[in-house]
Amino acid sequence: DSGVTQTPKHLITATGQRVTLRCSPRSGDLSVYWYQQSLDQGLQFLIQYYNGEERAKGNILERFSAQQFPDLHSELNLSSLELGDSALYFCASSAGTAIYNEQFFGPGTRLTVL
Amino acid sequence: LAKTTQPISMDSYEGQEVNITCSHNNIATNDYITWYQQFPSQGPRFIIQGYKTKVTNEVASLFIPADRKSSTLSLPRVSLSDTAVYYCLVGDPTSGTYKYIFGTGTRLKVLA
């Protein structure tokens, strides 16, 4: 158990819909990262927040947005869903902001768009 | 943009040493290179990280040449439980905003 929690574990929805994925970091960690993992794209970095502020940004689609709240939990919002958005979405947390800070990954949310 | 490539898959027998290489160009000059292990239906798990030369911990060694354009993860005496996918992780500071880039992943299968 990494100490990072993600909800829900599974999510099934239809194209065009909007969903919110939630992540609670390890106690004491200030950084939260979001990754998308699909069979054809591998692990793709989406975005990083540190203590509420956006710190790094990957190739996150404009239909996707995220935020980190004062209690440090984070939400990833996916809207106008397409079939290709079906994937595993991982949240990770770390103590600091740099790449040498070990990232602890949650169990993931499996999103299926029908 | 940093690009990372790894062999798609490798097979090994129990007790052998396994070396997995990740090729990466355009990585940040002052960044660490990190390796993660992932089992099916689980999130990746940290194995080892380094900046240059050689780093060793209780589970693996990491070799990084002076030009830092590649890194090699070495797993000594693998067991069946080491069957997993292994990823390198580097940072890419180009294109105006920092990005974390995972390698393409190497699927290691350890045979009895």
Side-chain angles (χ1 to χ4, degrees):
Chain A
D1 184 0
S2 66
V4 178
T5 61
Q6 290 186 248
T7 56
K9 192 173 178 62
H10 301 278
L11 198 49
I12 301 175
T13 188
T15 54
Q17 294 299 304
R18 182 179 188 274
V19 297
T20 298
L21 312 184
R22 183 188 169 102
C23 168
S24 292
R26 286 190 330 152
S27 176
D29 282 356
L30 298 179
S31 268
V32 169
Y33 311 75
W34 286 98
Y35 293 89
Q36 179 192 58
Q37 185 172 38
S38 57
L39 282 174
D40 57 345
Q41 293 290 322
L43 270 164
Q44 299 288 317
F45 168 66
L46 297 178
I47 200 163
Q48 177 198 7
Y49 281 85
Y50 177 77
N51 205 19
E53 299 290 326
E54 183 182 304
R55 197 64 179 224
K57 197 170 186 177
N59 298 323
I60 186 168
L61 299 173
E62 286 191 9
R63 300 183 287 108
F64 295 3
S65 65
Q67 57 182 327
Q68 186 179 28
F69 295 87
D71 67 352
L72 300 177
H73 90 272
S74 178
E75 293 181 355
L76 178 67
N77 300 296
L78 315 175
S79 61
S80 302
L81 286 167
E82 301 174 0
L83 295 177
D85 297 327
S86 295
L88 254 177
Y89 290 84
F90 286 107
C91 167
S93 74
S94 68
T97 62
I99 195 171
Y100 54 75
N101 292 124
E102 179 180 345
Q103 294 183 34
F104 295 85
F105 283 76
T109 291
R110 183 172 295 279
L111 174 66
T112 303
V113 182
L114 302 175
Chain B
L1 185 67
K3 183 180 177 183
T4 59
T5 55
Q6 300 177 231
I8 293 175
S9 64
M10 299 178 72
D11 287 349
S12 180
Y13 287 96
E14 280 191 294
Q16 289 188 329
E17 178 184 73
V18 170
N19 295 308
I20 304 173
T21 296
C22 174
S23 297
H24 32 72
N25 58 1
N26 291 331
I27 66 170
T29 55
N30 58 348
D31 254 353
Y32 280 66
I33 298 161
T34 312
W35 282 78
Y36 284 80
Q37 175 192 55
Q38 186 179 28
F39 296 111
S41 301
Q42 294 185 23
R45 187 175 67 176
F46 174 92
I47 303 173
I48 195 168
Q49 70 177 198
Y51 177 70
K52 60 181 179 181
T53 63
K54 178 183 175 182
V55 178
T56 298
N57 64 18
E58 63 275 10
V59 297
S61 294
L62 179 60
F63 300 90
I64 303 171
D67 66 5
R68 288 170 38 87
K69 290 187 182 299
S70 68
S71 58
T72 299
L73 173 71
S74 181
L75 304 173
R77 299 179 298 282
V78 294
S79 63
L80 295 176
S81 62
D82 293 320
T83 295
V85 181
Y86 293 83
Y87 295 92
C88 60
L89 172 65
V90 299
D92 177 12
T94 60
S95 67
T97 180
Y98 193 90
K99 295 182 177 63
Y100 295 89
I101 309 290
F102 270 98
T104 48
T106 298
R107 189 173 300 274
L108 172 65
K109 185 175 182 180
V110 180
L111 308 168

